[in-house]
Amino acid sequence: MASPTPPPKVRASSVPDPTRSGGASGQHPGFAAVLDPLPIPAAVVTRADEVPLVVLANPAFIERQLMPGDACELDRKLLAELISVASRNDSGKARRPWTSVDPVKTRRYDVTAARIELAGLEWPHFLVSLIDRTSEIETHDSFRRETMRDSLTGLPNRAGFEDIVETRLAEQGTDGRPAAPGFAIITLDIARFSQINECAGGVVGDELIITVARRLMGRVRKTDVIARIGGDEFAVFVPLRGTNERELSRIITRIRDIFVNPYRLSDLEIQIDGAIGIALSKPGLSDCANYIRQSQIALKRAKRTRQAEIYTPEELDKARRRFTLETELRKAIELDRLELYFQPLIDMSNGFVTGFEALARWKDPDYGMISPVEFIPVAEECGLIVPLGRWALDRACKVLNEWDARAGEVLPIKVSVNVSAAQFARDDIPNMVASILRANKTRPERLCLELTESVVVSDPARAAKVMSALRALNVSLAMDDFGTGYSNLAYLQQLPIDVLKIDRSFVTHMLKERDKVAIVRAILSLASALGMETTAEGIETLEIAQTLAALGCSFGQGYFYSRPVPADEAYDYMITRMG
Ligand code: C2E
Ligand code: MG
Ligand code: MG
């Protein structure tokens, strides 16, 4: 054995302390000089038969009760490891984090061992110092907790949810298998939340969110995780024992139940409903964000179908198509690849053409003909409806000019252009209309704008203001798809509406269903009472045209007269049917 016998263990302080220092043999006089200037707990340590030995410690080390045998003794194993690593390292240093199991307060330290280079030392000694990182780590942890938490409900937020779920998915049971062999991620959205928020105020909205959160917490199991991942959107992680449909449907029913009883908020009692989307786990896939996305896609469908929906991969295809549509539509608008078709509006009293509705068409080189029913909602969602709507109005005015030039006179016809609710909300419609009319030298009397009821429902006061401004320009206004929205008849008489367009769902098959005739009659008499004209959409047969004329409907539009056609064809149609 080559190693010399180390000194015996001593309890020592660099500050002379008769009770603790006790004049150790083998102590180098330089140790005190090393320890003295240190304000942090530090000790000189050496190794005896592979066992670490504290040779001298400073007062801070002793006060913190880090000495061997003391309450918070510095972990011997850790010390041994530090010394062994530091002896092998070129730098002569090693560092490890360590948590002291203090009976009063758990402390988190960074412990460093650094070899002491002093002349006359017979065997290696190390300066072991401890930096207390407790408050730093606590601050960091609480900050992290805060950023992972929704302050309103106290639930995890989206980031927190992903963090917890991914940790849970990585956990293994005692048998080494994943702790959650199957699971579902459920997203839940409160129906009409923004309306409630707007009408009843933000405080009530907050109260509703908190109450929903509370009810949810009462319904889920201990193993489930709930989070608030968006304004009125919650997510629930539900571990499943297997692909057990009954288990899932029981859970869904329990979640659904939170909407059974009305919500009492301040002095209101509201019955609310929610939509539920579900994504089921696939073996080997544990990306939480991806499951949330899938579940949200199913949620979108659930909002339409009003029942809980499970995500299917085809839906992703649809979502992807929507995304490609958005990119392609942007290109189509920029490259002027959209076309405007025209469908005649017929005066029911004499069969003459009085105008045309301009309808956008998109022929994509890859996708072929894409219906406005598909691309207008995409345009509305991504904001492209604003340039699209401006383009449609401008193009309609230009076509009117072309027709006038061809006929050699100002034709006695109007053009109707659709303005979607999203466009109405985002664009400065009166100014936009005025400037396009001015640019094309189009008389405002020749333009009718078709608005939908949703324009009025979402913000009645603003709608009234914008509509009056349009009326002041001398543009006429039609209420499109009338009868399909949340018609509040009270607003009708207050707004400057010239024409009610009866939605084609009431018209096309009206002769087969008595209810529909009754609705059409009601709309016609309402319009007449309010001094408005009427256009029936979706006239496909002569019988319907005759019935509507007999009922007193002013104008008709539909495949019976003509489908929407390109501008040239529309011109020819008009010339043969003009009064
Ligand atoms: P809308 O404004 O209610 O237009 C009438 C729709 O009914 C048109 O569909 C038209 O082709 C269709 N239609 C007309 N007569 C008949 C018929 O007899 N039978 C049947 N089954 N359908 C008939 P289209 O062209 O597919 O447009 C659908 C919707 O897309 C329009 O409904 C309108 O809301 C929107 N849209 C079209 N172009 C534009 C546009 O330039 N801007 C905006 N904001 N929306 C547009
Ligand atoms: Mg229309
Ligand atoms: Mg319509």
Side-chain angles (χ1 to χ4, degrees):
M1 254 256 325
S3 73
T5 319
K9 183 199 134 187
V10 286
R11 311 187 100 228
S13 160
S14 61
V15 179
D17 174 349
T19 57
R20 306 205 77 150
S21 56
S25 65
Q27 262 190 41
H28 192 287
F31 289 164
V34 172
L35 288 178
D36 267 349
L38 292 177
I40 54 174
V44 173
V45 179
T46 187
R47 194 160 46 175
D49 289 334
E50 301 305 314
V51 178
L53 203 64
V54 176
V55 178
L56 191 70
N58 72 358
F61 194 91
I62 294 164
E63 268 160 31
R64 288 277 173 110
Q65 309 227 343
L66 294 160
M67 292 294 279
D70 280 357
C72 313
E73 175 179 355
L74 180 55
D75 184 5
R76 291 179 205 201
K77 256 203 206 143
L78 173 95
L79 211 46
E81 188 197 337
L82 277 170
I83 290 179
S84 124
V85 175
S87 337
R88 278 183 273 118
N89 267 356
D90 289 345
S91 65
K93 278 189 180 173
R95 176 186 289 189
R96 293 281 184 277
W98 174 64
T99 305
S100 81
V101 201
D102 191 311
V104 183
K105 180 175 169 57
T106 304
R107 295 200 164 271
R108 319 270 284 266
Y109 292 101
D110 264 353
V111 188
T112 307
R115 201 177 162 138
I116 300 172
E117 308 289 348
L118 282 174
L121 275 182
E122 287 176 50
W123 47 83
H125 283 71
F126 298 85
L127 174 67
V128 172
S129 55
L130 290 88
I131 297 175
D132 187 343
R133 297 225 179 271
T134 315
S135 64
E136 194 182 315
I137 291 170
E138 275 172 358
T139 311
H140 177 265
D141 283 356
S142 82
F143 178 71
R144 194 176 140 83
R145 266 198 305 279
E146 282 310 308
T147 59
M148 297 260 178
R149 210 170 55 94
D150 164 47
S151 55
L152 185 63
T153 58
L155 292 173
N157 60 16
R158 191 186 177 116
F161 183 69
E162 286 179 16
D163 199 61
I164 298 171
V165 169
E166 280 177 6
T167 311
R168 287 280 294 279
L169 294 181
E171 273 169 14
Q172 297 193 334
T174 40
D175 53 1
R177 298 225 195 117
F183 62 89
I185 295 222
I186 297 171
T187 46
L188 179 130
D189 179 286
I190 304 171
R192 296 190 302 125
F193 178 74
S194 49
Q195 240 166 301
I196 296 168
N197 213 27
E198 270 168 30
C199 299
V203 176
V204 173
D206 284 357
E207 219 180 314
L208 176 58
I209 296 282
I210 294 169
T211 318
V212 168
R214 220 175 272 146
R215 284 196 189 177
L216 255 182
M217 281 189 262
R219 298 300 151 107
V220 301
R221 304 167 303 181
K222 262 206 206 106
T223 46
D224 302 341
V225 181
I226 316 175
R228 179 178 174 221
I229 60 167
D232 62 336
E233 207 173 317
F234 292 86
V236 191
F237 166 76
V238 180
L240 298 171
R241 272 177 292 251
T243 46
N244 185 340
E245 273 179 31
R246 239 194 275 145
E247 187 184 1
L248 182 66
S249 86
R250 254 201 319 271
I251 292 164
I252 300 294
T253 310
R254 273 213 312 271
I255 292 179
R256 262 252 142 97
D257 279 354
I258 67 166
F259 297 119
V260 169
N261 294 320
Y263 282 70
R264 209 177 302 268
L265 308 165
S266 305
D267 43 358
L268 298 171
E269 199 174 86
I270 317 179
Q271 187 68 54
I272 65 160
D273 199 6
I276 293 175
I278 305 151
L280 290 174
S281 62
K282 297 241 160 37
L285 287 180
S286 60
D287 176 2
C288 177
N290 194 31
Y291 284 116
I292 296 179
R293 226 172 2 254
Q294 294 183 353
S295 159
Q296 284 173 321
I297 292 175
L299 181 70
K300 260 196 176 170
R301 180 154 48 99
K303 284 182 192 170
R304 282 198 311 274
T305 61
R306 293 169 168 270
Q307 58 182 26
E309 294 285 353
I310 299 180
Y311 166 82
T312 61
E314 299 84 69
E315 271 179 300
L316 184 63
D317 289 346
K318 262 198 219 147
R320 278 208 194 106
R321 174 159 155 93
R322 227 178 148 82
F323 178 71
T324 357
L325 272 190
E326 181 185 326
T327 319
E328 293 300 316
L329 181 60
R330 183 159 293 159
K331 238 185 355 198
I333 295 174
E334 274 163 21
L335 301 176
D336 203 16
R337 278 206 197 130
L338 295 185
E339 213 180 316
L340 212 51
Y341 273 35
F342 293 85
Q343 187 176 32
L345 301 164
I346 307 294
D347 184 334
M348 301 287 266
S349 64
N350 55 24
F352 294 149
V353 175
T354 62
F356 287 88
E357 174 169 7
L359 294 158
R361 292 291 179 267
W362 175 16
K363 263 182 241 162
D364 184 82
D366 298 325
Y367 289 105
M369 195 68 157
I370 303 166
S371 161
V373 176
E374 191 172 358
F375 72 79
I376 295 287
V378 173
E380 286 177 331
E381 215 164 88
C382 66
L384 279 174
I385 192 66
V386 170
L388 191 153
R390 291 179 174 201
W391 164 83
L393 179 58
D394 183 63
R395 182 81 199 111
C397 293
K398 291 203 158 60
V399 168
L400 263 188
N401 286 342
E402 284 163 25
W403 287 345
D404 287 353
R406 244 171 109 175
E409 60 168 323
V410 175
L411 291 161
I413 53 158
K414 274 191 176 191
V415 66
S416 293
V417 176
N418 291 285
V419 174
S420 95
Q423 181 192 358
F424 192 90
R426 288 173 189 223
D427 206 355
D428 175 358
I429 302 287
N431 269 327
M432 183 271 288
V433 170
S435 80
I436 291 181
L437 289 177
R438 213 179 310 119
N440 290 287
K441 299 197 175 62
T442 307
R443 289 218 322 270
E445 300 76 33
R446 299 184 80 190
L447 176 66
C448 174
L449 294 178
E450 297 195 359
L451 309 172
T452 53
E453 288 166 90
S454 46
V455 159
V456 184
V457 173
S458 57
D459 188 349
R462 181 170 177 272
K465 236 164 90 188
V466 175
M467 288 167 81
S468 305
L470 289 168
R471 164 51 64 82
L473 291 176
N474 262 342
V475 168
S476 53
L477 299 174
M479 192 49 72
D480 204 353
D481 307 338
F482 187 72
T484 57
Y486 304 85
S487 295
N488 171 0
L489 297 180
Y491 74 71
L492 272 182
Q493 64 185 67
Q494 294 159 18
L495 296 174
I497 299 165
D498 305 277
V499 183
L500 287 188
K501 292 193 76 173
I502 309 170
D503 190 69
R504 67 167 191 264
S505 58
F506 304 119
V507 174
T508 306
H509 302 293
M510 66 183 270
L511 294 183
K512 291 190 199 113
E513 289 169 54
R514 283 166 75 206
D515 288 359
K516 291 194 171 159
V517 181
I519 292 172
V520 171
R521 268 180 200 279
I523 297 177
L524 289 173
S525 61
L526 175 74
S528 125
L530 296 174
M532 296 172 186
E533 291 187 301
T534 40
T535 301
E537 302 175 335
I539 302 178
E540 295 188 358
T541 62
L542 174 65
E543 292 74 37
I544 303 256
Q546 285 170 338
T547 309
L548 286 163
L551 288 173
C553 180
S554 333
F555 308 106
Q557 173 183 5
Y559 295 169
F560 169 64
Y561 303 107
S562 165
R563 288 184 176 252
V565 290
D568 283 348
E569 276 178 52
Y571 179 83
D572 295 341
Y573 183 92
M574 164 178 57
I575 294 302
T576 53
R577 318 266 169 122
M578 285 257 285

